[in-house]
Amino acid sequence: MKDFLIFIPATIVYIAVKSTIFASFPVPDLPLIMIFYLGYTRPSLEGALLCFVVGYIEDALAGGVTGSTSFALIFIFLCAYFLSRKVQFTSALIKGLAAFFLTLLKGALVYAVLSPFSIGLSFRGFALLQALFTGLAAPYAIHLLSRLKFLTGPRAFAG
Amino acid sequence: MIAFIKKYQISIASILLVIFSLHLSLTADKRETGRRSLIKDVIHTAAAPVERLALGTYNTAVGAVSGYVLLVNVNKENSALKDALTALMEENNRMREKALEAGRLKEILDFKEAIPFRTTAAAVVALSADMWGASAVIDKGASHGIRKDMAVISRSGAAGRVIEAGMNSSTVLLSTDLRSAIDVISQRGRIKGIAEGNGSGGMILKYVRQFDDVQVGDLAVTSGLTGIFPKGLPVGEVVKIEKGRDNFFRLIELKPAVDMKRLEEVLVVTDPGFIPGG
């Protein structure tokens, strides 16, 4: 439950800043980085539920279709969980690449969910840029998250 | 069964949540009632202060930056305006000079038309820088009909004579030069004398006897006897009278009628009646 105390406020702050200051700028997807980190370091039921809640908050604040981001983030969480059994996410390069492709995957999943609604989407350009920035920011964000272990106890964020 | 669920609890829970999320997203339009749900209200209420803070900070930062940028732009604009102002002031000065020159030329033209002899207008382009010399260069020469020993006059009076005529410019010996000597007569007492330059901007009236009737304030004018200067042109005003060392002639100082330092436009007397040698 301590994860909720960090991830949810962080998501709210991220969405608030993204929707005000960086409204049309492809900023790194911080919730995705958090979910990815959670998926390969500490997969749990709470983690899965947290993905749903973070996705719901993102949809609620960003005005997206409710459930679309939750769907994508849980999928990302599962991918990270399964990938962690095959791949060692130790180096910054691997973390960055993983974040890059997972951001593209998230974009594709949200696009797939929203396309039946005929919502105008410019997927390629913006999604690629966001994936690039997320991939670049992921190693630093994950490093920062791993330093927050004192807030959630010694067993958490053992990355 | 329970062991299976426990072993794969994360995957099972995630899959269920995925399905639930997909259901939510695919049925979203059917649930639209126009009113926001309670959960979304709570989320928005929680996010509102953060959004206000972020926006306020952003606007403050943008305001400060744009203020700086504007100041920078204002500085550039100020500098450009100063340059433009300087250029305009210079042009204004040029225009003023042109207007003054036009005024002077009109005056000299009027003077030229009033005098009963032929003249050629010329502009002084240089004045001599010698300590004891007083000469000027005018912008007319032999190609304009100027010849040596022609009189050079202005509205104020006799300025000097041409000592050297080039093709397009001429040198004028001013009346205040040591080498200058103009035959004059006092306007009031009709006393004859020679006005010579003293080399320091003034003139001396020579060969006036002790008993001749000359007073301070008398105007010395050209006598017209030498054939160089027309008769009656002001040469200088008597400013000082002293007894000469020889006790026969007076030592008389003249203030030149023409201000040599402000000489700009002159007339050269080109009338054949006043050209030495015809």
Side-chain angles (χ1 to χ4, degrees), chain A residues 12-13 15-17 19-21 43-45 48-49 52 56-57 59-61 64-68 70-71 74-75 77-78 81-82 113 116-117, chain B residues 7-11 13-15 17-22 24-29 31 37 39-40 43-44 46-47 50-52 54-55 57-58:
Chain A
I12 292 175
V13 170
I15 300 293
V17 170
S19 60
T20 50
I21 300 172
S44 63
L45 282 176
L49 191 60
F52 175 80
Y56 191 90
I57 291 171
D59 285 331
L61 288 175
V65 174
T66 306
S68 58
S70 301
F71 162 73
I74 298 168
F75 203 91
F77 176 78
L78 269 177
Y81 170 55
F82 289 126
V113 170
F117 295 92
Chain B
K7 187 180 176 186
Y8 296 104
Q9 62 180 341
I10 297 170
S11 303
S14 299
I15 291 166
L17 283 169
V18 161
I19 295 167
F20 179 61
S21 302
L22 203 56
L24 279 178
S25 59
L26 293 175
T27 58
D29 58 338
R31 293 195 309 276
S37 68
I39 298 172
K40 283 189 178 178
I43 293 170
H44 275 274
V50 182
E51 286 171 337
R52 277 199 295 272
L55 203 57
T57 308
Y58 173 72

Side-chain angles (χ1 to χ4, degrees), chain A:
Chain A
M1 290 305 290
K2 289 179 182 175
D3 299 339
F4 281 76
L5 294 174
I6 297 172
F7 280 19
I8 292 174
T11 302
I12 292 175
V13 170
Y14 167 78
I15 300 293
V17 170
K18 183 185 167 189
S19 60
T20 50
I21 300 172
F22 302 102
S24 21
F25 194 76
V27 293
D29 195 335
L30 187 61
L32 180 137
I33 295 172
M34 292 191 295
I35 297 303
F36 161 63
Y37 182 73
L38 205 62
Y40 83 79
T41 56
R42 196 169 168 267
S44 63
L45 282 176
E46 284 176 348
L49 191 60
L50 188 61
C51 295
F52 175 80
V53 172
V54 167
Y56 191 90
I57 291 171
E58 199 170 326
D59 285 331
L61 288 175
V65 174
T66 306
S68 58
T69 309
S70 301
F71 162 73
L73 284 179
I74 298 168
F75 203 91
I76 299 293
F77 176 78
L78 269 177
C79 289
Y81 170 55
F82 289 126
L83 272 174
S84 66
R85 294 178 176 182
K86 304 287 181 188
V87 180
Q88 292 294 317
F89 293 108
T90 49
S91 70
L93 178 64
I94 294 174
K95 290 173 189 172
L97 281 172
F100 174 78
F101 287 111
L102 287 174
T103 308
L104 286 177
L105 178 63
K106 180 192 172 189
L109 289 169
V110 173
Y111 182 81
V113 170
L114 294 179
S115 53
F117 295 92
S118 303
I119 296 170
L121 299 168
S122 56
F123 170 70
R124 281 187 293 268
F126 193 88
L128 273 171
L129 273 173
Q130 186 168 34
L132 181 66
F133 289 136
T134 304
L136 288 169
Y140 304 100
I142 290 169
H143 180 72
L144 186 64
L145 284 170
S146 67
R147 293 288 181 215
L148 288 174
K149 59 184 175 181
F150 71 91
L151 287 174
T152 58
R155 59 186 184 88
F157 297 101

Side-chain angles (χ1 to χ4, degrees), chain B residues 216-231:
Chain B
V216 170
D218 282 350
L219 185 64
V221 298
T222 52
S223 64
L225 297 174
T226 58
I228 295 176
F229 288 95
K231 185 178 180 180

